[in-house]
Amino acid sequence: MIEVARYLSVNRIAYFSMEVGIRQEMHTYSGGLGLLAGDAARSAADLDLPMVFVTLASREGSIKQEIDADGNQIDGPDPWNPEEWATPIGAMVAVKLEERQVWIRPWLYDLKSPRGFQIPVLLLDTNVPENDPRDRNITNRLYFGDERDRIKQEAVLGVGGVRVLRALGFTIDTYHLNEGHAAFLSLALLDQHRINRIPGIPEPFSYDVHAVREKCVFTTHTPVEAGHDRFSYEDVRAIVGDLIEFEQLKLLAGPDHLNMSLLALNLSRYANGVARRHAETAQTMFPAYKIRCVTNGAHVPMWMHPAVADLFKTIAPHWAYELEDLLKADQVPPDALWSAHQQAKRELIDYVKATTGVEMDPDVPLIGFARRMTGYKRPDLLFHDVERLTAIAGKRPFQVVMAGKAHPRDFEGKARIRAIHQHMRSIKDVPMAFLPNYSIAIASKLVSGTDVWLNNPVPPLEASGTSGMKAAFNGVLNFSVLDGWWLEGWEEGVTGWSIGSDGSDSSPEAHAAAMYDKLESTVLPLYHDDRARWIWMMQQTIAKIGAVFNSARMMRRYSTEAYLRS
């Protein structure tokens, strides 16, 4: 196990996440949760934090998306080979699931910072010959299968992950649960902290709950009730039955169903939401617990286009590790910034043509939208009034490019993808394209090559929305509903524009009308008629958002507020 030996004496913080977006070729992510975890790991490496990241191998990825002639999403597996990117570790651990020993082999990926620091990422894999054929595919497909399959996946991550770290020799002081998927790790820790009951003294727990709480911190990401995993105790008992005494588990995770978020809250000393508004929403959902806030950030060097990054090197050679230097964006020559942006835009336009056949004009404003395709994100809101939309385009031309996947069982999300394609085909005078199989590579093109980043979820259901941050790093101006991180980063007419006002009518009719009004009266006229002011706003958004809403700031805050204890 020489591969991990160099980490054992220092890496004392373990970050657990069902998905981690490490790189394009490794399909170990599904969406924003995984990309956030990947950015956290990249910044941990930049900062030389003593961390290890634990996730699933997900050999078949999440979703490979194709779009048929009618605009229907055709989804299937998206395989990759761990052998090509990671190193197998010569050790395995077992977890008993359904009365069978399920063996878990970890793979090691060394995530390296340009500064020379490294962070280990452990990928847990049950696809080994020692396992029963029924168990080899537990970790193959991310978020796939029924409720029982999810319990097995989350048990492998949480229980298996703790046992892997212990078997490899890590001494972990703090476990960071990135969403409730990882909450089973707290049960593995309880199992390590059994206590002897004192005769005659009633004691509700056979475990040192306080000791486990002291080790765990929990980040919740979803303000949507359905997004919190709930499992039947009958299924949990059948799958991981001997892990904990179930009457005691019900005291920690809820009397009727095992609520993974509630389990995490009860067994963590620190819990946080991922934007100020989201923390307020989470506090309402869980009023008995103190929910703090660490607003998400994204990794600037990862998401800033190279042409833009090179401009900053001329005024601040070390900006990538001293992100406060982005405040000097007003020192970047406007013409040079516009030229770098147009280079990124042409690259996106070339990709759009090669992928979809749609031709776009680099001198016409390009509106981008790329999110997980699901109901509350309202991906089709732009088309709420097609007649009004086309009338606006007749006065001030614009273009639209969109991307995003729906979960295979999210039939509403799939219906919205189909509706978007129908609208795009019906609108003849506005160049529009939908890029299939949204990925890290496509996201990089979109957040750097568009001019306006559109986001219009139903408030307050946006947790954070880091794609808008990534766009801002490139001078792309946000045009968004006031929710998630945008409530903190928004300065009207400076870093972008709001759709509606905070607390106003958020119906589709109201938000669509507000979107059209501002698009027609403010956004498009500024692009077409006042290029100097537009570029000034690009400078402002890079400075004010890049210097603050980055994952280095996020990880420093986690380190000082959650990981370190007096």
Side-chain angles (χ1 to χ4, degrees), residues 353-520:
K353 183 177 180 180
T355 305
T356 69
V358 176
E359 294 193 17
M360 294 187 168
D361 186 342
D363 294 322
V364 174
L366 181 52
I367 298 172
F369 180 99
R371 305 299 307 275
R372 180 163 58 87
M373 292 284 161
T374 194
Y376 77 89
K377 294 183 186 289
R378 300 189 298 193
D380 54 348
L381 187 67
L382 182 64
F383 306 102
H384 187 79
D385 185 341
V386 171
E387 184 176 346
R388 175 90 189 271
L389 188 67
T390 53
I392 293 170
K395 300 175 185 176
R396 302 280 189 175
F398 62 89
Q399 309 163 115
V400 177
V401 61
M402 305 182 78
K405 301 175 180 178
H407 188 278
R409 293 194 297 273
D410 186 348
F411 300 109
E412 181 186 5
K414 289 184 174 183
R416 296 202 182 213
I417 292 175
R418 184 166 55 251
I420 287 168
H421 280 81
Q422 291 169 349
H423 288 306
M424 286 184 170
R425 284 194 295 268
S426 70
I427 300 173
K428 303 299 183 184
D429 298 327
V430 182
M432 295 184 173
F434 188 99
L435 301 178
N437 207 33
Y438 190 40
S439 65
I440 287 177
I442 294 174
S444 296
K445 295 180 187 297
L446 285 167
V447 299
S448 61
T450 51
D451 295 297
V452 176
W453 196 255
L454 182 64
N455 187 33
N456 41 245
V458 179
L461 301 183
E462 178 78 284
S464 185
T466 55
S467 59
M469 302 172 188
K470 298 163 190 171
F473 300 161
N474 293 284
V476 175
L477 304 181
N478 277 265
F479 183 31
S480 177
V481 165
L482 288 173
D483 198 11
W485 79 278
W486 186 232
L487 264 173
E488 301 164 48
W490 161 67
E491 291 185 42
E492 186 71 12
V494 179
T495 58
W497 304 274
S498 69
I499 297 173
S501 58
D502 188 20
S504 64
D505 182 359
S506 62
S507 66
E509 294 76 18
H511 270 169
M515 179 195 305
Y516 297 141
D517 288 346
K518 195 163 289 185
L519 192 64
E520 182 175 29

Side-chain angles (χ1 to χ4, degrees), residues 312-332:
F312 278 92
K313 291 178 183 177
T314 65
I315 60 173
H318 306 294
W319 73 265
Y321 305 106
E322 298 171 4
L323 293 169
E324 297 82 0
D325 283 341
L326 293 178
L327 292 168
K328 301 175 182 177
D330 59 354
Q331 297 179 22
V332 176

Side-chain angles (χ1 to χ4, degrees), residues 519-530:
L519 192 64
E520 182 175 29
S521 66
T522 304
V523 179
L524 295 176
L526 185 67
Y527 184 95
H528 285 287
D529 300 337
D530 194 348

Side-chain angles (χ1 to χ4, degrees), residues 521-541:
S521 66
T522 304
V523 179
L524 295 176
L526 185 67
Y527 184 95
H528 285 287
D529 300 337
D530 194 348
R531 184 61 48 78
R533 177 72 182 188
W534 187 280
I535 298 173
W536 176 84
M537 287 184 66
M538 292 174 65
Q539 293 173 315
Q540 296 303 306
T541 199

Side-chain angles (χ1 to χ4, degrees), residues 255-301:
D256 302 318
H257 289 81
L258 192 159
N259 183 320
M260 293 292 276
S261 295
L262 188 59
L263 178 62
L265 286 167
N266 276 319
L267 290 173
S268 297
R269 59 180 166 79
Y270 177 98
N272 70 281
V274 291
R276 290 174 191 163
R277 174 56 53 84
H278 171 240
E280 293 169 1
T281 303
Q283 187 67 75
T284 301
M285 296 174 72
F286 301 105
Y289 304 87
K290 182 175 178 59
I291 308 295
R292 298 171 174 86
C293 169
V294 177
T295 299
N296 280 345
H299 190 257
V300 183

